[in-house]
Amino acid sequence: MKQTVLAGADRIDEYASLFEGKKLGLLTNPTGILKNGTPTANYLAERFDLRALFAPEHGLAGEQRGDAEAGERRAASAAAKQASQQLMNRKCGQTRR
């Protein structure tokens, strides 16, 4: 018998009642994606009231890394970074506070 293991982010719908009507913050990093490749932040923002994103010191898209993999990571995460920026513009407007 083959069993499928899902990460917690892929089970958000099972716990939707816990998030509905609440202001959410998300601690995430470049690997914060669903199994279909959608950034977790984008998925939460579309369904719930996501108000804040918290990312590690190297940035949400890993752009501050200085090693040889940094270029590949930047290319792979460009879509996630753009989508996250669109999310923040939608939720907070163009002005930083």
Side-chain angles (χ1 to χ4, degrees):
M1 176 168 61
K2 183 178 178 180
Q3 294 183 342
T4 302
V5 176
L6 296 174
D10 289 308
R11 300 181 66 198
I12 291 171
D13 291 333
E14 294 176 39
Y15 301 97
S17 64
L18 297 174
F19 305 129
E20 291 171 352
K22 298 197 170 109
K23 297 173 187 173
L24 302 178
L26 178 66
L27 175 62
T28 190
N29 64 37
T31 65
I33 59 172
L34 303 176
K35 68 180 179 181
N36 67 4
T38 301
T40 307
N42 293 30
Y43 186 76
L44 286 173
E46 290 171 3
R47 302 237 12 240
F48 307 104
D49 189 8
L50 182 62
R51 295 286 183 103
L53 289 175
F54 302 94
E57 64 184 336
H58 56 271
L60 183 57
E63 65 269 4
Q64 297 300 316
R65 290 191 52 146
D67 59 23
E69 295 177 351
E72 293 174 14
R73 284 180 185 246
R74 279 193 295 273
S77 64
K81 183 177 178 181
Q82 180 181 13
S84 297
Q85 185 60 47
Q86 289 171 349
L87 157 72
M88 295 311 294
N89 289 342
R90 230 182 21 240
K91 292 289 184 177
C92 303
Q94 298 289 336
T95 307
R96 290 185 175 184
R97 296 177 192 182

